[in-house]
Amino acid sequence: DAGVIQSPRHEVTEMGQEVTLRCKPISGHNSLFWYRQTMMRGLELLIYFNNNVPIDDSGMPEDRFSAKMPNASFSTLKIQPSEPRDSAVYFCASSPLKASSYEQYFGPGTRLTVT
Amino acid sequence: GNSVTQMEGPVTLSEEAFLTINCTYTATGYPSLFWYVQYPGEGLQLLLKATKADDKGSNKGFEATYRKETTSFHLEKGSVQVSDSAVYFCALSDPGAQKLVFGQGTRLTINP
């Protein structure tokens, strides 16, 4: 079975450019999460969706960040304009909506470098 | 609020040594507890979980027991291998809440 798919795996861009990260969750999973990982701040939850609806975006750092989930099999995280401090690894994770536990399944990540 | 505290790394051991990585938590109610592992250049993978007190999660020789009286979920393995070198994250989720709260991660290096 395919796991969570993210693209691109690596992105290098210049400050001020728009960056779009993409994620395809595991088929049948109802929830999708976007995380950011840096050495300084560790793993941070940015936003998550249930059934394509954003539930909690309190972790989105500022208005430069936006996320969408137009359907159950695709989500994007956009940064516009990008800044050097946005350099990090961005992970997408998905989860089935079950009451027993809420384990999440992570993609391989997108390593973003903003110069 | 909910929080997870892991022992600070890095941890360096020799092959076949016994491993313990401590994890304690603060939470309301009865959270589910998880250990995730992150190998170099990869995303986090679920290693094991426990959903109620006294449950023991186990996988790939790793074990952790949900101890409500000490609010702990320590990760153990009897004999580590070089391939176990990775970063290990302890995490919790509240019942009815989907957000995971992660510890800061513990980097483990196993030398041959």
Side-chain angles (χ1 to χ4, degrees):
Chain A
D1 288 340
V4 175
I5 299 172
Q6 291 187 247
S7 65
R9 293 295 310 275
H10 301 274
E11 177 80 37
V12 180
T13 191
E14 292 183 347
M15 182 174 62
Q17 296 299 306
E18 177 179 295
V19 175
T20 300
L21 312 181
R22 297 173 176 80
C23 175
K24 177 179 170 56
I26 293 172
S27 177
H29 283 191
N30 310 87
S31 300
L32 184 140
F33 304 79
W34 282 102
Y35 290 88
R36 177 172 67 177
Q37 186 179 40
T38 61
M39 289 293 292
M40 291 295 294
R41 301 173 67 92
L43 198 61
E44 303 172 276
L45 175 65
L46 301 177
I47 185 172
Y48 79 94
F49 297 82
N50 280 352
N51 295 320
N52 314 336
V53 176
I55 302 300
D56 184 347
D57 65 354
S58 60
M60 295 286 263
E62 47 197 276
D63 292 345
R64 297 185 297 106
F65 286 69
S66 62
K68 294 182 179 179
M69 192 165 186
N71 57 61
S73 59
F74 183 67
S75 177
T76 59
L77 177 68
K78 185 176 294 186
I79 308 172
Q80 167 63 18
S82 58
E83 296 182 3
R85 60 193 169 119
D86 302 330
S87 297
V89 181
Y90 290 81
F91 290 104
C92 176
S94 69
S95 174
L97 262 176
K98 291 181 180 178
S100 60
S101 66
Y102 292 103
E103 61 261 37
Q104 296 177 16
Y105 298 82
F106 283 73
T110 295
R111 181 173 296 277
L112 173 65
T113 303
V114 183
T115 61
Chain B
N2 298 339
S3 66
V4 174
T5 302
Q6 294 181 229
M7 66 185 287
E8 288 195 19
V11 174
T12 303
L13 297 172
S14 297
E15 206 165 20
E16 299 184 3
F18 184 87
L19 168 70
T20 300
I21 300 178
N22 290 338
C23 171
T24 57
Y25 67 89
T26 302
T28 55
Y30 301 92
S32 294
L33 301 173
F34 307 88
W35 277 101
Y36 281 81
V37 58
Q38 184 178 27
Y39 298 103
E42 298 183 12
L44 280 69
Q45 301 175 23
L46 179 65
L47 181 59
L48 53 83
K49 69 176 183 180
T51 59
K52 61 182 187 295
D54 299 326
D55 266 2
K56 177 185 285 188
S58 61
N59 186 25
K60 299 181 181 179
F62 290 89
E63 294 182 341
T65 301
Y66 190 139
R67 301 287 188 200
K68 186 165 178 59
E69 63 276 12
T70 54
T71 62
S72 65
F73 192 55
H74 304 322
L75 182 68
E76 297 182 336
K77 186 175 185 182
S79 177
V80 292
Q81 306 299 313
V82 172
S83 57
D84 295 326
S85 299
V87 180
Y88 292 80
F89 293 89
C90 185
L92 68 81
S93 71
D94 266 340
Q98 293 176 266
K99 291 165 65 170
L100 290 179
V101 176
F102 285 92
Q104 74 271 32
T106 301
R107 181 174 299 277
L108 173 68
T109 301
I110 307 299
N111 294 321

